Amino acid sequence: MSAPEARLRDRIGGGRAVALIDGNSFYCSCERVFDPRLAAVPVIVLSNNDGCAIARTAEAKALGIKMGDPYFKIRDLCRVRGVRVFSSNYTLYGDMSGRTNAVYRQFSPQVEIYSIDESFLNLSDVAPGLRVELARDLRATVRAWTGIPTCVGIGPTKTLAKLANHVAKTVPALGGVCDLTDPVAYAHWLCRVAVAEVWGIGRASLAKLEAMGVESVADLRDLDPRPVRKGLTVVGERIIHELRGLACLPLEMVPARRKGCAVTRSFSSRITERTVLEEAVAAHATRLGEKLRREGLGTNHVSVFYHTSEHDHGAPMRSASTTVGLPEHTSDSLALIRAARLGVAKTWREPGERPWRYSKAGLITNDLVPLSHSPRALIGALDRERSEPLMAAMDACNLRWGRGAVVPARAGLVNRRDWNTKFEMRTPRYTTQISELPVALA
């Protein structure tokens, strides 16, 4: 047994075990849950404005459809090969994610939600010989209760758990579960998996490792961490320690406080008029305020940008951006709207004979702070006594009647925005909208 394997065996004896479970082709699987006719049919889900493929089933991948393929380039292929195409339905996907995580908490009290379709579970209290059995039970329960197929990877560290999840996905004989806390499985798979599959190894790092003769995960694990740190920074050194079973990344059960926030959207149709662009950034500012209030945060500046599309061949190109300061930190949508409109006023140019056709706009802010601890301005202070109950009332109405039920007039009526993101092939929001509940026919 090699020294790394011996060290791993010792750490397994310490009882640490982390599982990574994720939904297979999660967005597509959510669509299949509510339409059994999609089983074994190639399915893809598109990004905002039905732009490009962001989720694909195995059947769609087999047809050569790649992640990020623009839909206009693969439209004919989809029609000829019978690929079912859907607009993204983030309301449905988010709710289904919450349901799967509720199942995970039945198996482990410590769950870190890493992304909409991935979660880390602490299985340290589970005996080594029972971990695979528990993982299989977890997969079966999630499938039975939510309809979502999953794979589970287990390891003594998060990096090894992520690697085990990759093996579980790509080796059907494992039945969707791989346990790298088992020294035999650890020795078997690390020398058979390409180093490109390691969590945290990007293109630049991969090129450096290949130049060093590193091909497999085992090759990376056996490198001396000190010279690796010079070429791959502290991240590369940490990856090596994690591959050796030394945990450097703890589970984060409490999400870190948001440091920045952005609301950006591509328009469903090009914008050429200033009044329409101002309405769009006002709508973005309204959404930004909702996000900040949900977490009790505030900002004292807003960066506003908008630009044309490089795909409008022959059309004049323009990109504009500016940052507008606020007198104090706030999450008031009305104050954010004023700042966003001021940003447009500062950067707008009247077009010549050929108008600019703006395709996207957005607001970005960072250095967020909790409003409860933010200082008040001596000059130009905002009226929080009026603002806070007004925003709370607007949020309560939108929570009860649906987002967009009550919006500032500057943001325009939701159903009358010609620039709104289009979802022409979106399925119903089955689990969150009463009017869109699935119907069982007799």
Side-chain angles (χ1 to χ4, degrees):
M1 180 177 293
S2 68
E5 292 167 18
R7 285 193 292 270
L8 178 68
R9 181 191 59 191
D10 295 339
R11 286 168 186 141
I12 290 174
R16 179 178 171 82
V18 177
L20 175 66
I21 179 170
D22 73 338
N24 301 338
S25 302
F26 184 70
Y27 292 173
C28 297
S29 293
C30 290
E31 300 292 349
R32 282 176 164 174
V33 167
F34 295 95
D35 188 350
R37 294 170 298 180
L38 298 176
V41 172
V43 177
I44 65 172
V45 172
L46 303 176
S47 60
N48 287 340
N49 284 317
D50 298 338
C52 57
I54 56 173
R56 308 154 296 153
T57 61
E59 295 83 1
K61 294 176 185 178
L63 296 176
I65 298 176
K66 297 180 175 59
M67 182 69 75
D69 275 352
Y71 180 52
F72 74 89
K73 289 186 176 181
I74 60 174
R75 182 183 286 111
D76 292 341
L77 170 66
C78 293
R79 184 181 66 254
V80 172
R81 302 303 297 271
V83 179
R84 295 295 305 277
V85 183
F86 296 96
S87 301
S88 47
N89 188 344
Y90 296 121
T91 301
L92 175 66
Y93 308 153
D95 186 68
M96 293 298 289
S97 175
R99 292 171 184 241
T100 57
N101 278 283
V103 180
Y104 302 159
R105 292 188 179 93
Q106 301 290 320
F107 289 78
S108 173
Q110 295 182 314
V111 177
E112 175 191 338
I113 301 175
Y114 180 66
S115 67
I116 193 170
D117 65 334
E118 292 180 292
S119 293
F120 288 101
L121 284 66
N122 186 355
L123 301 184
S124 298
D125 293 336
V126 180
L130 299 178
R131 289 168 186 161
V132 171
E133 180 182 348
L134 180 137
R136 288 174 178 160
D137 187 20
L138 173 58
R139 291 185 70 238
T141 304
V142 173
R143 188 63 181 265
W145 291 8
T146 70
I148 301 296
T150 58
C151 285
V152 182
I154 307 171
T157 67
K158 292 171 80 171
T159 301
L160 284 170
K162 187 88 170 175
L163 187 68
N165 183 272
H166 165 74
V167 175
K169 281 183 181 178
T170 54
V171 183
L174 294 176
V177 177
C178 178
D179 181 11
L180 292 184
T181 64
D182 178 358
V184 176
Y186 174 84
H188 178 81
W189 290 113
L190 261 66
C191 63
R192 288 170 170 79
V193 178
V195 69
E197 303 300 337
V198 175
W199 186 30
I201 299 296
R203 290 184 179 180
S205 299
L206 181 60
K208 294 177 182 178
L209 291 172
E210 289 176 343
M212 299 167 62
V214 174
E215 297 180 355
S216 69
V217 178
D219 293 336
L220 175 59
R221 175 202 63 192
D222 294 338
L223 290 178
D224 186 341
R226 289 168 295 182
V228 168
R229 181 168 184 167
K230 294 180 181 179
L232 303 182
T233 72
V234 68
V235 175
E237 181 181 19
R238 184 177 63 199
I239 289 173
I240 291 177
H241 289 310
E242 286 255 325
L243 291 176
R244 293 179 177 182
L246 177 62
C248 302
L249 302 171
L251 283 180
E252 299 177 2
M253 265 63 72
V254 178
R257 194 186 79 201
R258 185 194 292 265
K259 297 180 180 179
C261 190
V263 178
T264 66
R265 297 288 187 275
S266 294
F267 306 131
S268 58
S269 59
R270 301 295 188 250
I271 289 179
T272 58
E273 300 176 7
R274 175 175 168 176
T275 54
V276 181
L277 182 61
E278 288 178 338
E279 180 183 271
V281 298
H284 294 353
T286 302
R287 178 64 180 140
L288 178 63
E290 292 175 356
K291 289 186 174 184
L292 296 180
R293 290 193 297 275
R294 190 167 58 209
E295 300 187 31
L297 301 174
T299 182
N300 63 356
H301 68 278
V302 175
S303 295
V304 185
F305 77 88
Y306 53 96
H307 59 72
T308 57
S309 172
E310 61 182 9
H311 299 296
D312 285 350
H313 301 296
M317 303 289 292
R318 182 169 186 256
S319 176
S321 65
T322 188
T323 298
V324 179
L326 294 159
E328 63 182 56
H329 288 84
T330 184
S331 61
D332 185 332
S333 291
L334 300 181
L336 296 173
I337 287 174
R338 288 192 293 271
R341 287 169 54 85
L342 179 57
V344 172
K346 290 171 60 177
T347 55
W348 179 262
R349 290 185 191 173
E350 289 300 327
E353 294 182 1
R354 301 177 64 196
W356 288 293
R357 293 162 46 82
Y358 295 109
S359 63
K360 186 174 184 178
L363 306 181
I364 302 173
T365 185
N366 48 35
D367 299 326
L368 302 177
V369 301
L371 276 180
S372 57
H373 301 99
S374 63
R376 300 301 305 272
L378 294 176
I379 300 176
L382 301 174
D383 187 358
R384 291 190 182 180
E385 287 69 25
R386 173 181 175 275
S387 164
E388 291 177 357
L390 178 60
M391 293 297 104
M394 186 171 71
D395 291 341
C397 289
N398 288 326
L399 179 63
R400 180 172 182 179
W401 304 110
R403 184 184 300 164
V406 178
V407 296
R410 293 286 191 186
L413 296 176
V414 175
N415 58 356
R416 295 187 181 179
R417 297 171 182 165
D418 294 335
W419 51 267
N420 253 347
T421 303
K422 64 180 180 182
F423 301 94
E424 294 181 348
M425 296 170 283
R426 190 185 69 184
T427 50
R429 293 160 291 183
Y430 298 104
T431 61
T432 57
Q433 296 291 323
I434 292 180
S435 61
E436 299 178 18
L437 286 173
V439 177
L441 300 177

